[in-house]
Amino acid sequence: MSLDVAAIREQFPILKREIDGNPLVYLDNAATTQKPQCVIDALVDYYTTCNSNVHRGAHRLADEATRHFEAARDIVKDFINAPKREEVIWTSGTTEGINIIANGLGQLLSPGDEVITTGMDHHANLVTWQQACKVSGATLKTVPVLDSGELDQSAYSALLNERTKFVAFPHVSNALGTVNPIKEMTAKAKQVGAWVLVDGAQGAAHGRVDVQDIGCDFYAFSGHKIYGPMGVGALWGKASVLANWPVWRTGGEMISTVTLQDATWNVLPYRFEAGTPNVGDAIAMGEAIRWFSALDQDAVAAHEKALLDHATELAERFEGLTIIGQAKEKIGVLSFVLDHGHPADIGFLLDRQGIAVRTGDHCAQPLMARFNVPGTARASFSVYNTLEEVDALFAALKKVRTMLA
Ligand code: PMP
């Protein structure tokens, strides 16, 4: 079945915008996706009808808010096929999810222990582990990236040993679009008994995730990249691992008992949810996942592949353009440089024609250094993009290259 893209576009009010008289062509979906009306409505409904603090109120609004908030947790649980709802922790996004685990890890590691991350990680999944290693005296190792934009799997195997305590890698590279073989990578790490965290910021937006099938210990993702609001996300962790993981943020809600000198911690998931949660956004994130999950996932994948294939074909024929990242398995991300002009100039001149792409280092400075580029221009596709928009990108890019030459 193919995707009814026209009907999908109708649900996104922002796509009707014009930029300087040009129709908006939004190709910056890896940075954040736009929101369908039902997600916007979910947020407005929450604040219009039942805004209240959750779990502690003895009144109707608090009851309703708690019910919707916890129902959204169940939606996340089902979406990632988590075995238990208490394994789903609300966060402010992928970055916070990773920080929760990295902070605890810093307390669990000792000098001589090793942590492995990759040369394609977003800073959120790199600087965090650098810090955990710095505070604990552990050593950070890196899986190199091949010219294709894939991880060097034999180098990864060679890095794993009995000192490896933790491995973190991205499900999908935000800068290159590479889909990593996360199940195989997890299995290898498990052979040496390491904990595994998958950065799912880009993975979750492109199809259902099955954390049980992956076999990892932790999976973190953000609401805003999967048609939900900003400022909310989810961290999944195996209950058996999370139950003993050191807490990071302390305060209300995450405690069980408190005396003037000491405190004991609450049960999962609340022991990792200190303070008032982002209730309205969590509910709207649940609505976003419900909306996305209702789409035919095979059709979504086929549509994104068609967009990427078309863009790649046009890019390969485009004079002076170099694609950065040509992995066999990719989501709809086309990262590139031109022979003339800095990526920032490309972005600026595309914007003048209504085309929104991302330019820069994509929070992956080591990866840009690996490819010896100052940054790239990145077009990233989503369910509501069309082949005509891909054509519009390249027509606009033609003008850009003429201007920059
Ligand atoms: N990891 C990857 C691969 C990402 O693409 C991003 C967002 N660009 C993050 C982590 C951080 O996500 P957030 O800013 O939503 O916390």
Side-chain angles (χ1 to χ4, degrees):
M1 211 172 81
S2 67
L3 218 52
D4 187 348
V5 178
I8 289 175
R9 289 181 71 84
E10 273 303 306
Q11 299 179 56
F12 287 79
I14 206 168
L15 297 180
K16 297 194 171 67
R17 262 205 71 169
E18 294 196 339
I19 306 291
D20 299 338
N22 300 298
L24 167 67
V25 175
Y26 186 78
L27 301 177
D28 193 17
N29 296 288
T32 199
T33 52
Q34 298 302 343
K35 323 302 171 199
Q37 188 64 50
C38 62
V39 169
I40 300 167
D41 289 347
L43 201 54
V44 172
D45 281 354
Y46 166 73
Y47 284 109
T48 315
T49 63
C50 67
N51 172 52
S52 184
N53 215 323
V54 285
H55 299 140
R56 27 191 128 144
H59 56 81
R60 192 70 52 92
L61 297 190
D63 269 359
E64 288 176 12
T66 303
R67 215 160 7 89
H68 293 313
F69 179 66
E70 292 299 336
R73 196 190 303 274
D74 287 326
I75 294 174
V76 174
K77 168 195 171 288
D78 292 343
F79 178 62
I80 59 173
N81 194 28
K84 300 173 182 163
R85 69 185 314 282
E86 63 268 27
E87 296 177 326
V88 176
I89 296 158
W90 290 115
T91 63
S92 63
T94 310
T95 303
E96 190 185 41
I98 297 172
N99 269 276
I100 290 172
I101 300 308
N103 196 273
L105 183 68
Q107 300 173 49
L108 297 171
L109 295 176
S110 313
D113 289 343
E114 294 179 2
V115 174
I116 296 177
T117 182
T118 81
M120 64 165 64
D121 270 295
H122 186 282
H123 298 158
N125 202 33
L126 174 61
V127 183
T128 32
W129 311 115
Q130 290 172 355
Q131 289 304 109
C133 288
K134 276 182 193 159
V135 299
S136 61
T139 306
L140 188 65
K141 305 269 172 148
T142 308
V143 184
V145 179
L146 301 170
D147 290 344
S148 61
E150 289 158 330
L151 291 172
D152 183 337
Q153 293 298 331
S154 43
Y156 171 54
S157 300
L159 285 176
L160 290 161
N161 63 64
E162 71 287 352
R163 292 185 300 280
T164 311
K165 290 291 174 305
F166 200 96
V167 180
F169 43 78
H171 188 162
V172 173
S173 158
N174 60 311
L176 307 177
T178 311
V179 180
N180 291 310
I182 54 174
K183 192 174 168 182
E184 291 74 17
M185 291 180 73
T186 300
K188 284 186 194 172
K190 284 292 160 199
Q191 279 169 11
V192 298
W195 289 298
V196 175
L197 179 141
V198 179
D199 169 358
Q202 298 294 336
H206 297 275
R208 283 174 188 282
V209 172
D210 187 336
V211 291
Q212 298 189 61
D213 183 56
I214 299 166
C216 57
D217 298 283
F218 309 105
Y219 191 96
F221 66 110
S222 303
H224 72 96
K225 294 195 197 276
I226 178 167
Y227 311 102
M230 291 190 174
V232 69
L235 167 69
W236 169 81
K238 267 184 199 153
S240 56
V241 182
L242 279 180
N244 301 307
W245 207 259
V247 297
W248 179 31
R249 294 211 164 127
T250 52
E253 192 84 349
M254 57 75 67
I255 51 79
S256 171
T257 59
V258 181
T259 66
L260 284 176
Q261 296 298 328
D262 210 353
T264 58
W265 307 147
N266 204 344
V267 294
L268 290 173
Y270 309 111
R271 63 182 263 147
F272 291 103
E273 292 183 353
T276 300
N278 187 351
V279 179
D281 286 315
I283 292 169
M285 177 171 162
E287 177 60 20
I289 292 177
R290 192 203 57 71
W291 178 85
F292 178 62
S293 305
L295 300 176
D296 177 334
Q297 296 297 309
D298 291 339
V300 167
H303 178 62
E304 288 191 23
K305 184 173 181 317
L307 293 169
L308 178 67
D309 287 351
H310 186 50
T312 306
E313 200 186 316
L314 293 180
E316 281 170 350
R317 277 198 261 132
F318 196 96
E319 202 185 336
L321 185 152
T322 306
I323 300 174
I324 308 292
Q326 304 238 46
K328 273 187 234 64
E329 295 292 327
K330 273 180 78 170
I331 55 149
V333 164
L334 183 82
S335 233
F336 61 92
V337 289
L338 291 183
D339 49 355
H340 302 296
H342 191 277
D345 301 327
I346 300 170
F348 177 81
L349 293 170
L350 284 176
D351 174 65
R352 298 292 110 153
Q353 301 173 71
I355 307 216
V357 298
R358 173 83 177 258
T359 63
D361 61 32
H362 313 293
C363 298
Q365 289 181 11
L367 185 64
M368 297 298 114
R370 156 69 181 82
F371 282 97
N372 204 20
V373 290
T376 70
R378 180 190 69 189
S380 50
F381 309 115
S382 182
V383 289
Y384 40 66
N385 290 125
T386 63
L387 293 171
E388 292 72 30
E389 287 183 312
V390 176
D391 290 337
L393 164 68
F394 282 90
L397 208 52
K398 209 164 187 179
K399 291 188 196 155
V400 169
R401 184 161 179 270
T402 310
M403 284 185 248
L404 291 174

